[in-house]
Amino acid sequence: MHLKRRHFLAASGAAFLSGPALAATQAYQIPPQHQARIVRIKARFEPGEIHVDPGQFALYWTLPGRRAVRYPVGIGRPGLYESGTFTVGRKAEWPRWTPTKAMIEREPDKYKKYEDGMEGGPNNPLGARALYLYSGSRDTLLRIHGTPQPHTMGTRQSNGCVRMINAHAIDLYERVPSGTRVVLH
């Protein structure tokens, strides 16, 4: 079953958005192939988990009844995607972004100027929302986040994080509580 963009946003509470959040959801017309949709899943996945399938460029928020919301995603470039099991240790709206030391070392011309961080907003690389992935009490520096570059869905462009269309990141943020199990396959 496919959800139309307007129904998906209405169902997710997007009607209550304002300011930059509203701009993040309306500035980009989500193409049909990148619409979020409800899909059937394997029985082994428990409801209330996030599973990322990098081969399909898809994130699944599992629901009861062997169903899930399937969102298209962009993932880490070769060698930067890290599989494993994590938990959502923190959530943020319009998060501040600071490139990691490894990012600055790999591409100093691109990232050095942001070593002190960048305030949240529509041009911030973490987009409208971010889920911070932890291993135990340790922040792994991996994120599931929105992006100001929605055209990168279905590609390996990030520095290891899972990126989503901002409207989808907002919807997922509202659904997912802290402590949620996340599996990057």
Side-chain angles (χ1 to χ4, degrees):
M1 165 169 133
H2 291 280
L3 296 173
K4 298 287 185 198
R5 181 176 186 269
R6 82 177 121 251
H7 294 122
F8 181 76
L9 291 175
S12 69
F16 300 106
L17 300 174
S18 63
L22 184 60
T25 62
Q26 292 185 344
Y28 179 71
Q29 285 292 82
I30 302 172
Q33 72 272 20
H34 288 159
Q35 296 286 331
R37 61 181 191 234
I38 303 294
V39 297
R40 300 279 297 158
I41 59 169
K42 297 177 181 178
R44 65 185 169 125
F45 297 135
E46 295 293 323
E49 297 181 338
I50 294 172
H51 290 267
V52 176
D53 180 346
Q56 297 296 313
F57 295 99
L59 180 148
Y60 299 90
W61 167 245
T62 58
L63 304 170
R66 296 181 54 207
R67 300 176 326 142
V69 180
R70 181 187 191 277
Y71 303 95
V73 296
I75 62 170
R77 296 188 308 250
L80 297 178
Y81 183 83
E82 182 179 335
S83 61
T85 301
F86 309 93
T87 58
V88 175
R90 187 164 87 84
K91 296 169 46 171
E93 297 182 21
W94 297 104
R96 179 176 176 78
W97 170 74
T98 303
T100 65
K101 291 177 184 174
M103 291 167 65
I104 295 169
E105 287 173 11
R106 273 193 308 274
E107 298 178 77
D109 292 343
K110 187 174 183 180
Y111 295 117
K112 179 84 171 143
K113 61 186 169 190
Y114 299 112
E115 69 183 338
D116 293 328
M118 176 187 223
E119 291 301 317
N123 296 318
N124 183 299
L126 294 182
R129 302 291 184 273
L131 305 177
Y132 293 69
L133 304 187
Y134 280 63
S135 179
S137 62
R138 181 182 62 86
D139 182 354
T140 64
L141 303 180
L142 295 173
R143 312 283 184 252
I144 297 171
H145 62 82
T147 181
Q149 300 175 322
H151 62 278
T152 62
M153 296 307 103
T155 66
R156 292 179 158 269
Q157 300 251 341
S158 82
N159 279 287
C161 294
V162 176
R163 58 172 64 171
M164 303 177 74
I165 294 169
N166 274 327
H168 294 166
I170 291 167
D171 181 73
L172 184 67
Y173 178 93
E174 294 299 323
R175 294 174 185 265
V176 173
S178 290
T180 294
R181 181 175 185 250
V182 178
V183 182
L184 303 182
H185 296 271

